[in-house]
Amino acid sequence: MPEIKVTPLGAGQDVGRSCILVSIGGKNIMLDCGMHMGFNDDRRFPDFSYITQNGRLTEFLDCVIISHFHLDHCGALPFMSEMVGYDGPIYMTHPTKAICPILLEDFRKITVDKKGETNFFTSQMIKDCMKKVVPLNLHQTVQGDYNMTPDRHLGAAWIDKCRPDMLISESTYATTIRDSKRCRERDFLKKVHESIERGGKVLIPVFALGRAQELCILLETFWERMNLKAPIYFSTGLTEKANHYYKLFITWTNQKIRKTFVQRNMFEFKHIKPFDRSYADNPGPMVVFATPGMLHAGQSLQIFKKWAGNEKNMVIMPGYCVQGTIGHKILNGQRKLEMEGRATLDVKLQVEYMSFSAHADAKGIMQLIRMAEPRNMLLVHGEAAKMEFLKGKIEQEFSIDCYMPANGETTTVTTNPSVPVDISLNLLKREMALGGPLPDPKKPRAMHGTLIMKENLVSSEQALKELGLNEHQLRFTCRVQLQDPHSDNDTLHRIYTHLKSVLKGYTIQHLPDGTVMVESIVIKVSSSAEDANTKVLLLSWSYQVKKTKHFSLSLLH
């Protein structure tokens, strides 16, 4: 039976470094190629040695598919294609192709120019990698992170009831059920407002795309409504470029933003201004959006260091933080942080966590399974203990197998071979006219028609082998009577001699079991019960040799 094999090279019982190898139908496909925010050593990138110990990856991979532009899903691309070696196609959507090189270059600058690392991809490698990209439309791609709740800039994720053999889902918030979106937005605005009112500064670490735009729209609307004067800044460069691409790809945003676009572009902010690093020392309240989102490097970390010692200030973490990052440490209550150079930082500001993450919660994951109705489930991009809990819930509620392989561990599922076909309207109408139940995916019914194959034509033997099926041969029979006073064996021998003389080029055999074979036609002789001189010839043939059968019959007559 055909199989699907899935091996995580990253994100197996772990968050970040998403990279899933899928083997299906003789093809090897890599889903995502991301980096891990919590590591600065070899663990930062997926372990490609699972594919091959040495040499390039091109001969082992048929294609790479990148679901979206977050670095934990695309951050290892130049390393994989240019340093390890891969020349095949890399598929992604048009917005991802536009934004991916910007984020990769920013990642490179922080790692090489600011931290001084040497064994890393270059700007030229990013450009060479992007030359291998083939852009696709939205519904031609897979989904990496997803959210079943619409937000202020994008619509909710959805999927057809496609009943796949396997559904692979991220599980970052495997045990979390979030409050309603409206409640979270209200609490977020309340906390920002309270901090501003008491003269504090609010730092909101975000990644350049996604939450930054959603929260900017939220604060922009609130500032307009409340007529607030405290400045809001976003870190220049990345987020500025990001907003440019949101304007460019306005058709990919949600319906509300598309409808109001003619009157006003929601990404052109009136109250939110570009940030200059000197503003961090300005007196008085302010709100600053700064990258990156986990406080592991960059401008957000620099501002955090400056503001951490003041109790009036606040940091709001709007998304998930990987273990090992400053964000993860402060969310777990750590108040003394060891920074670079063994310096210690006392954290006195307020730390708040408010999930505006792009990831689905447990409820959203279960909703996706209900929509798709998969035969098997596989969880990636989550913490092992939380995945274990969700795995149990899925198996209990849906009665399907759920897998959660670690990195380098292969999950294999066998699949039922199925060939999708288009059915003509006439055939459907005829079947409906015959009565019986209406078509129901859960109660299959047989339909009788002729299948026309238009593309690859293979032998029946090869087709049966590929589909894992046994051959069942249909044979036809007929009886012919003739008058002959000789014994049955003599009659059969005379028939054999006659056919041998007239059927030149055919294989004709007189077999020991008392039959004659012309190709695959079997001829057997027996005497009639009523009259010994009347012989009954039994002919048996398969459908494929119909012409030979007609020829043999005419000769016998």
Side-chain angles (χ1 to χ4, degrees):
M1 295 288 279
E3 293 178 336
I4 297 174
K5 292 185 177 181
V6 181
T7 310
L9 309 185
Q13 299 181 15
D14 189 19
V15 177
R17 192 177 48 179
S18 186
C19 186
I20 317 298
L21 186 65
V22 177
S23 298
I24 180 170
K27 303 290 183 186
N28 294 320
I29 301 160
M30 183 184 286
L31 305 178
D32 286 337
C33 188
M35 53 81 72
H36 200 296
M37 305 284 183
F39 298 118
N40 292 319
D41 53 19
D42 291 344
R43 294 170 294 174
R44 173 163 46 203
F45 295 138
D47 189 351
F48 299 112
S49 67
Y50 287 121
I51 300 175
T52 176
Q53 294 292 329
N54 45 38
R56 299 173 69 79
L57 299 175
T58 309
E59 58 188 280
F60 299 98
L61 286 177
D62 290 283
C63 73
V64 176
I65 301 173
I66 302 298
S67 59
H68 64 294
F69 47 67
H70 288 166
L71 287 175
D72 57 339
H73 293 261
C74 74
L77 257 185
F79 174 78
M80 187 269 297
S81 69
E82 308 310 308
M83 296 178 77
V84 179
Y86 171 71
D87 298 318
I90 301 168
Y91 297 105
M92 57 180 74
T93 63
H94 292 273
T96 298
K97 187 189 176 188
I99 294 158
C100 189
I102 298 167
L103 297 186
L104 288 169
E105 178 58 25
D106 187 65
F107 177 34
R108 187 205 64 78
K109 279 181 185 171
I110 291 170
T111 309
V112 178
D113 298 351
K114 293 186 180 175
K115 292 186 179 177
E117 293 192 30
T118 51
N119 186 25
F120 208 76
F121 53 78
T122 63
S123 295
Q124 187 58 46
M125 286 178 181
I126 296 172
K127 291 172 186 171
D128 292 340
C129 171
M130 296 312 292
K131 287 174 186 173
K132 297 167 186 175
V133 170
V134 180
L136 298 172
N137 292 320
L138 182 63
H139 300 301
Q140 292 175 275
T141 52
V142 294
Q143 184 69 22
D145 299 335
Y146 62 92
N147 200 327
M148 304 305 286
T149 309
D151 58 33
R152 288 175 179 268
H153 69 308
L154 297 174
W158 60 271
I159 190 169
D160 290 328
K161 201 180 285 292
C162 51
R163 299 183 182 86
D165 288 302
M166 178 176 281
L167 178 63
I168 303 173
S169 171
E170 59 120 335
S171 51
T172 315
Y173 290 110
T175 57
T176 305
I177 295 178
R178 289 193 283 256
D179 295 333
S180 74
K181 190 83 174 192
R182 196 175 288 274
C183 286
R184 277 178 281 145
E185 289 180 347
R186 192 170 57 240
D187 289 348
F188 170 76
L189 294 171
K190 184 183 174 189
K191 282 186 167 55
V192 171
H193 193 214
E194 284 173 353
S195 185
I196 292 296
E197 287 293 294
R198 62 172 179 266
K201 295 175 169 64
V202 181
L203 171 64
I204 306 170
V206 288
F207 289 103
L209 288 120
R211 297 322 99 202
Q213 283 67 37
E214 181 185 1
L215 296 175
C216 279
I217 292 170
L218 187 59
L219 280 187
E220 171 83 5
T221 311
F222 184 69
W223 248 240
E224 186 76 26
R225 192 171 74 241
M226 301 295 288
N227 196 25
L228 298 174
K229 302 300 179 191
I232 307 173
Y233 301 111
F234 60 76
S235 55
T236 52
L238 256 187
T239 311
E240 211 165 6
K241 281 181 183 174
N243 287 343
H244 165 73
Y245 281 109
Y246 267 97
K247 293 172 195 173
L248 189 63
F249 294 108
I250 195 83
T251 55
W252 293 63
T253 58
N254 69 25
Q255 194 174 359
K256 184 180 177 184
I257 286 181
R258 290 201 305 271
K259 281 174 84 173
T260 58
F261 177 64
V262 180
Q263 291 86 30
R264 182 195 165 202
N265 189 329
M266 291 288 277
F267 298 108
E268 287 174 354
F269 302 116
K270 177 180 161 188
H271 298 276
I272 303 170
K273 307 296 180 191
F275 179 77
D276 185 277
R277 63 183 67 237
S278 63
Y279 295 175
D281 300 317
N282 287 357
M286 69 176 74
V287 178
V288 176
F289 290 95
T291 60
M294 298 187 190
L295 290 177
H296 57 284
Q299 202 162 55
S300 62
L301 183 56
Q302 297 306 316
I303 298 169
F304 174 77
K305 288 177 186 175
K306 286 190 175 188
W307 293 359
N310 191 331
E311 294 171 0
K312 283 184 180 179
N313 297 338
M314 179 185 286
V315 59
I316 298 176
M317 306 299 295
Y320 183 87
C321 290
V322 168
Q323 199 166 350
T325 59
I326 298 292
H328 185 269
K329 289 172 184 174
I330 62 171
L331 285 176
N332 281 279
Q334 208 168 313
R335 286 288 166 177
K336 276 193 183 298
L337 300 171
E338 192 176 304
M339 310 305 284
E340 287 177 8
R342 298 199 171 179
T344 304
L345 180 69
D346 288 326
V347 180
K348 294 180 181 176
L349 52 57
Q350 291 182 60
V351 178
E352 297 287 348
Y353 174 69
M354 313 199 74
S355 179
F356 286 90
S357 173
H359 302 280
D361 61 1
K363 188 178 170 186
I365 295 167
M366 301 297 262
Q367 189 181 340
L368 184 80
I369 298 170
R370 252 179 238 108
M371 279 182 177
E373 291 188 3
R375 295 181 185 91
N376 297 276
M377 190 73 197
L378 189 139
L379 300 176
V380 294
H381 207 277
E383 296 166 27
K386 293 178 180 179
M387 291 168 99
E388 194 71 59
F389 174 81
L390 182 61
K391 176 180 182 290
K393 296 288 284 181
I394 290 168
E395 289 179 336
Q396 182 185 349
E397 183 164 336
F398 298 102
S399 300
I400 58 174
D401 288 327
C402 183
Y403 306 91
M404 43 172 284
N407 289 332
E409 190 178 303
T410 300
T411 295
T412 303
V413 298
T414 55
T415 63
N416 294 319
S418 61
V419 181
V421 296
D422 293 324
I423 300 176
S424 71
L425 188 59
N426 286 339
L427 178 58
L428 279 173
K429 285 179 178 176
R430 194 188 75 186
E431 288 291 320
M432 294 299 291
L434 293 173
L438 291 169
D440 184 345
K442 292 182 180 176
K443 294 178 185 174
R445 57 177 278 194
M447 294 186 76
H448 302 278
T450 302
L451 179 62
I452 301 171
M453 304 299 287
K454 290 187 178 177
E455 290 186 3
N456 296 337
L457 187 65
V458 297
S459 68
S460 56
E461 291 80 13
Q462 185 184 338
L464 289 167
K465 186 179 177 183
E466 287 179 6
L467 294 170
L469 300 174
N470 295 320
E471 183 178 6
H472 296 277
Q473 196 173 67
L474 191 65
R475 295 187 70 85
F476 300 85
T477 59
C478 78
R479 291 170 184 269
V480 177
Q481 289 190 352
L482 58 86
Q483 296 298 315
D484 189 19
H486 299 91
S487 68
D488 294 351
N489 284 339
D490 284 347
T491 303
L492 188 66
H493 183 73
R494 290 173 67 205
I495 290 169
Y496 167 71
T497 307
H498 175 63
L499 291 174
K500 192 91 173 165
S501 66
V502 294
L503 290 179
K504 305 293 185 185
Y506 286 85
T507 305
I508 303 168
Q509 303 172 73
H510 191 172
L511 302 176
D513 63 353
T515 58
V516 167
M517 283 195 75
V518 182
E519 301 290 345
S520 63
I521 299 171
V522 179
I523 303 171
K524 198 169 183 178
V525 175
S526 63
S527 297
S528 168
E530 292 81 23
D531 179 9
N533 291 335
T534 303
K535 306 300 181 191
V536 179
L537 271 61
L538 184 70
L539 275 79
S540 170
W541 69 93
S542 64
Y543 180 77
Q544 288 91 331
V545 292
K546 201 171 182 181
K547 286 183 181 176
T548 314
K549 183 267 300 186
H550 285 305
F551 189 34
S552 303
L553 268 178
S554 64
L555 289 170
L556 287 171
H557 282 300

